[in-house]
Amino acid sequence: MTVFAQWSIRWRLTGWYCAVLIPALLVLGTFVYLLVANTLAREVDARLSTTAQRVERAIRVVPSYPFPWENVVLPDVNVFSDPDTFLQAVDLSRRVVVSKSRNLGNQALPISASTLEKAAEGQRFYETLTVDGVAIRLYNVPLMLDGRLIGLLQVGSPLTHVQQALQKLRWALIFGSLGMVTVTAAVGWWMANKALRPIDQIAQVAAEIQAGEDLARRIEPPPTRDELGRLVETLNSMLERLETAYRNLAAAHQFQRRFISDVSHELRTPLTTIKGNVDLLYRMYVGRSGKGASGEESVAGAADGLAGDELDMLRDVRSEVDRLIRLVQDLLTLAQADAGVKMMLERVAVADWLPDSLRRAERLPRSEAVAFDVELEEAVLTRQHWANVDALQQLVYILLENAFKYTAQGKVTVKAREVDGGLELAVIDTGIGMPPEVMAHIFERFYRGDPARSTSGTGLGLSIAEHIIRAHQGRVDVTSREGEGSCFRVWLPLEPSCLASTGGL
Ligand code: ADP
């Protein structure tokens, strides 16, 4: 079933034709063969019996005692024989052939013990014997005189012709059947092809529409209004509806993108102004109060007329404004990606951006119980590739910010090495990790694995990271185990190395 199901419909239809035809031909062939064999055998038997009757009728009996053969006058059997019919009369008492047809020459028809036995019982019967490799059909007729068995008349005919005819019939049936199966398979294949060609054309056009994403294209309807015509009509109206839905969706999407882009643009300026003012206010108060011995700003001054609560509020406003600016920046980045704005890439060495990015990212907030370790392969730093340095710095920033954010204690390690002609940058942490159902969504926009939103974040970081990696023709692979940690492995293609191309030193 499984193997058969994988065949194309053409092969299956052809297979079915043959599967029905072969047994039918076998049954029919066997029936014809048996019928002919039986008819020929009956014909031979009938001919032998007629000849025997004619001989019997010609036997004359002249009463004379005591020798029975002197009383019986046999006719000249040659009169009744033909090239294919042998005749032989046997004196049963003396067990000698008393008369035989000339075509037997100096041979005689065989007389077996069982033949004599049956003849003694006065039975007329047929038998088939083989003499010198030739099958002979014999009709044995007991000759009776006054109720006494005096002899045996044997009429025989070789079966050579019958056997030859049957052999010819056998070959004719075998070759005829094979020819018929071949012709039927070819015709079946041709018919299935003809019937399925329009479906092939429909499938091809549908595939082209799908590959080219050209929903405006339609399938040419066949001239007939049969099942195929209706199928094409249904598919075309389905495509029509799809096209309309797709257009509406694209328009809505376009509108949404423009809206996000415009809003982000519009928000950026007032937010930058607010941030400037808040920073100024903050510096004014914190600056005046000065820093404590520990260097912390929290000692700011109630003494200067700003209550501790008010200072905290100012600090909150400042961090929320920072968050808003980042969110707007992230939204703008994604809106540009959606609009298809190409990222500008230049040929740089890995050393031009990676160590610097790591140095800066090291200053990201993290728990004191988290160690930070960097393992950079020296050779890979000298390798060059096409990159946007700002974007890659942002990528490092996003991955490390997450690693620090989701690791309360333990270690965050960054490893860089060359793998398969590319730079592999792995950010490994021993943090909270992720269950598989979270991992499946982390690259979606606004998705946050922590439903309680206990950590800060917008849910846009990894979407941007993925966009940056894609713009660099790279890939990212994530492995994570809940409670044990996560590993984000980014691979970015490198320019072929000079050493590699010259075979190395
Ligand atoms: P967020 O602003 O929430 O960090 P991201 O897009 O950067 O947004 O990440 C999406 C989600 O992926 C996170 O909310 C978090 O559940 C999960 N995640 C990302 N990095 C890690 C990590 N290193 N360890 C555990 N979970 C992570």
Side-chain angles (χ1 to χ4, degrees), residues 362-396:
E362 199 178 353
R363 289 201 289 269
L364 280 165
R366 68 171 196 266
S367 151
E368 277 179 4
V370 175
F372 181 51
D373 193 17
V374 175
E375 294 171 23
L376 302 183
E377 199 179 76
E378 277 301 318
V380 82
L381 292 177
T382 59
R383 299 294 304 279
Q384 301 218 315
H385 65 148
W386 288 91
N388 182 307
V389 171
D390 289 338
L392 289 182
Q393 280 182 349
Q394 196 182 356
L395 172 69
V396 172

Side-chain angles (χ1 to χ4, degrees), residues 149-287:
L149 181 71
I150 54 161
L152 175 70
L153 176 67
Q154 291 184 298
V155 187
S157 174
L159 291 175
T160 326
H161 290 315
V162 173
Q163 282 174 340
Q164 277 171 355
L166 285 178
Q167 191 169 14
K168 275 185 194 158
L169 178 67
R170 249 189 336 256
W171 284 120
L173 285 173
I174 290 171
F175 284 117
S177 302
L178 284 178
M180 235 154 122
V181 170
T182 314
V183 169
T184 308
V187 171
W189 170 259
W190 178 77
M191 270 166 46
N193 240 347
K194 198 170 154 56
L196 293 174
R197 198 167 303 138
I199 294 184
D200 266 352
Q201 281 163 358
I202 293 171
Q204 197 183 335
V205 175
E208 279 168 18
I209 292 174
Q210 197 258 350
E213 289 174 7
D214 180 9
L215 286 176
R217 214 173 140 190
R218 296 289 174 269
I219 301 165
E220 190 71 39
T224 49
R225 276 279 303 150
D226 53 11
E227 291 86 343
L228 285 177
R230 287 202 297 281
L231 174 68
V232 170
E233 211 170 82
T234 314
L235 278 175
N236 277 343
S237 66
M238 205 176 78
L239 280 172
E240 186 111 36
R241 290 188 61 188
L242 257 177
E243 191 193 358
T244 315
Y246 187 79
R247 271 219 199 101
N248 292 344
L249 205 70
H253 200 208
Q254 177 78 15
F255 171 77
Q256 194 192 30
R257 281 199 312 230
R258 226 182 13 244
F259 178 76
I260 292 176
S261 170
D262 292 350
V263 168
S264 313
H265 261 297
E266 293 303 318
L267 282 177
R268 217 156 50 151
T269 321
L271 278 174
T272 317
T273 314
I274 295 172
K275 182 172 164 52
N277 290 336
V278 171
D279 278 352
L280 194 67
L281 267 178
Y282 190 78
R283 271 201 305 276
M284 269 169 61
Y285 288 106
V286 173

Side-chain angles (χ1 to χ4, degrees), residues 77-219:
V77 287
N78 287 313
V79 176
F80 305 98
S81 78
D82 58 50
D84 264 351
T85 313
F86 307 118
L87 282 153
Q88 173 172 286
V90 183
D91 175 356
L92 283 181
S93 55
R94 288 183 292 160
R95 300 211 165 192
V96 290
V97 175
V98 288
S99 173
K100 63 179 182 180
S101 56
R102 222 171 287 131
N103 54 11
L104 273 172
N106 50 7
Q107 295 208 352
L109 293 173
I111 311 165
S112 66
S114 71
T115 308
L116 291 175
E117 235 169 68
K118 280 189 188 168
E121 288 165 13
Q123 283 182 33
R124 293 166 169 254
F125 63 95
Y126 293 97
E127 64 182 337
T128 307
L129 300 171
T130 307
V131 181
D132 296 338
V134 179
I136 294 180
R137 185 76 171 161
L138 272 183
Y139 184 46
N140 297 293
V141 182
L143 296 175
M144 311 291 282
L145 182 64
D146 298 337
R148 264 183 318 113
L149 181 71
I150 54 161
L152 175 70
L153 176 67
Q154 291 184 298
V155 187
S157 174
L159 291 175
T160 326
H161 290 315
V162 173
Q163 282 174 340
Q164 277 171 355
L166 285 178
Q167 191 169 14
K168 275 185 194 158
L169 178 67
R170 249 189 336 256
W171 284 120
L173 285 173
I174 290 171
F175 284 117
S177 302
L178 284 178
M180 235 154 122
V181 170
T182 314
V183 169
T184 308
V187 171
W189 170 259
W190 178 77
M191 270 166 46
N193 240 347
K194 198 170 154 56
L196 293 174
R197 198 167 303 138
I199 294 184
D200 266 352
Q201 281 163 358
I202 293 171
Q204 197 183 335
V205 175
E208 279 168 18
I209 292 174
Q210 197 258 350
E213 289 174 7
D214 180 9
L215 286 176
R217 214 173 140 190
R218 296 289 174 269
I219 301 165

Side-chain angles (χ1 to χ4, degrees), residues 398 402-403 405-406 429 432-434 438 442 447-450 456-463 486 488:
I398 293 168
N402 278 346
K405 204 161 55 177
Y406 298 108
D429 66 57
I432 58 169
M434 290 170 271
V438 168
I442 54 175
Y447 177 81
R448 305 209 55 213
D450 173 17
S456 65
T458 57
L460 289 177
L462 287 182
S463 316
S486 312
F488 285 75

